[in-house]
Amino acid sequence: MTHAIEIKNLRKTYKGGWSPALDGLDVHVREGQIMGLLGPNGAGKSTTINILCGLVSPDSGSATIFGKDCVTETLTLRKMIGVVPQQIAMFSNLTAWENFRYIGSLYGLSDKQTKERAHDLLVRLGLDKHADKRINRYSGGMKRRANIIASLLHQPSLIILDEPTAGVDVQSRAMILDFLKEYNQQGKTIVYTSHLMEEAEQICDEVVIIDEGKFIVSGAPLELIKNTTDCKKLEDVFLHYTGHSVRD
Ligand SMILES: Nc1ncnc2c1ncn2[C@@H]1O[C@H](COP(=O)(O)OP(=O)(O)O)[C@@H](O)[C@H]1O
Ligand SMILES: [Mg+2]
């Protein structure tokens, strides 16, 4: 199977950082998978994602998406990937429609195209009645769902989401996860970070656990549970590999 993402020996130390954020990280994501990038706080998940979408440049190593270099081919990649950042990336004093129209125009879509595409996604993510409301009137869960729509208007074949279900209510979370599964069934590759193991166990074909900027272990959730001593769920596997000490 082709690799959608190949990360090799990636290193990054931020200016003023006392230890590397990424310390020789290796990660592979196969095309068509839902892959969970898991790790404790500070493990390097967001740094990895920011390098993949060209926002942060690595010190060394390589990261490619569909064979294209994430550092030198950012513009080509931007059309192929959808990125949902950890922070809400929409204009809060504009309505959802106004945000989508603006984002669509950046991708060269006509207003009509944006409207058609956004409409389907709004219905699917339960926001069709709220499209004319300003984002600052939305709840946390609604903002997250709108943020996902914004990243999909150009119909990317790979979507990368950083903690898409963090801090949202149970209903929004279920809707987001169902949506991601459905999107994946349309042949799209999905990479997402989470610190919720139960959720990752439920939706991921494969997970990769990283810690202190390094690859620790990867595999299908059930396979990892079976192959790790005394583990009944993915959370046990996670604690087995990353320990019990608290990360701040
Ligand atoms: N912009 C930054 N400047 C300095 N240090 C950073 C920056 N972003 C992240 N770090 C540090 O890099 C490490 C990895 O962070 P991050 O990639 O955000 O981890 P995660 O998303 O897994 O919580 C942490 O020690 C964090 O404090
Ligand atoms: Mg993060």
Side-chain angles (χ1 to χ4, degrees):
M1 201 185 262
T2 340
H3 280 131
I5 297 179
E6 274 192 279
I7 291 173
K8 285 190 202 145
N9 202 15
L10 206 57
R11 292 178 193 275
K12 173 74 188 178
T13 302
Y14 289 100
K15 278 205 181 74
W18 51 273
S19 63
L22 297 182
D23 192 9
L25 184 73
D26 290 297
V27 171
H28 300 270
V29 181
R30 278 181 289 209
E31 203 172 343
Q33 277 195 325
I34 302 189
M35 157 67 92
L37 180 62
L38 312 178
N41 259 344
K45 303 180 295 295
S46 294
T47 302
T48 306
I49 284 184
N50 290 338
I51 290 175
L52 287 173
C53 56
L55 291 174
V56 166
S57 50
D59 299 334
S60 62
S62 68
T64 58
I65 297 180
F66 299 124
K68 303 208 179 308
D69 190 291
C70 296
V71 178
T72 58
E73 293 175 273
T74 321
L75 289 180
T76 315
L77 278 175
R78 212 159 274 172
K79 295 187 193 113
M80 302 163 71
I81 65 174
V83 180
V84 184
Q86 201 165 349
Q87 308 297 335
I88 303 298
M90 299 182 85
F91 295 105
S92 61
N93 56 349
L94 298 184
T95 68
W97 271 128
E98 287 164 345
N99 270 282
F100 297 152
R101 203 184 311 140
Y102 172 69
I103 292 161
S105 73
L106 297 180
Y107 285 107
L109 301 179
S110 67
D111 283 1
K112 186 168 168 275
Q113 274 175 318
T114 300
K115 203 161 188 168
E116 277 165 12
R117 293 182 187 187
H119 178 75
D120 290 344
L121 293 162
L122 282 160
V123 170
R124 184 59 195 87
L125 281 162
L127 291 174
D128 47 318
K129 300 206 168 52
H130 306 284
D132 292 318
K133 280 188 192 149
R134 288 183 191 193
I135 297 296
N136 57 19
R137 307 260 319 274
Y138 275 25
S139 71
M142 290 164 80
K143 284 182 190 163
R144 286 243 164 255
R145 285 180 272 141
N147 215 29
I148 293 175
I149 295 175
S151 74
L152 296 178
L153 293 172
H154 60 298
Q155 301 180 326
S157 43
L158 168 73
I159 163 168
I160 301 177
L161 309 98
D162 199 358
E163 307 264 0
T165 56
V168 305
D169 58 285
V170 177
Q171 282 79 5
S172 273
R173 185 144 74 96
M175 190 176 256
I176 290 170
L177 294 178
D178 282 348
F179 174 78
L180 292 180
K181 274 194 252 176
E182 201 181 286
Y183 199 70
N184 171 250
Q185 278 156 10
Q186 293 166 19
K188 318 282 191 180
T189 309
I190 295 177
V191 177
Y192 98 112
T193 73
S194 179
H195 54 266
L196 302 168
M197 297 301 132
E198 209 182 297
E199 174 185 306
E201 189 176 330
Q202 188 192 325
I203 76 157
C204 294
D205 299 309
E206 202 169 319
V207 297
V208 54
I209 297 176
I210 69 169
D211 197 10
E212 297 176 339
K214 295 190 189 76
F215 169 90
I216 304 291
V217 70
S218 69
L222 289 178
E223 204 174 283
L224 287 175
I225 294 165
K226 201 176 83 192
N227 295 338
T228 317
T229 321
D230 290 336
C231 291
K232 290 194 177 58
K233 47 189 199 300
L234 193 59
E235 187 171 326
D236 301 333
V237 176
F238 186 79
L239 288 170
H240 174 91
Y241 282 106
T242 61
H244 285 74
S245 67
V246 174
R247 319 295 172 86
D248 295 316

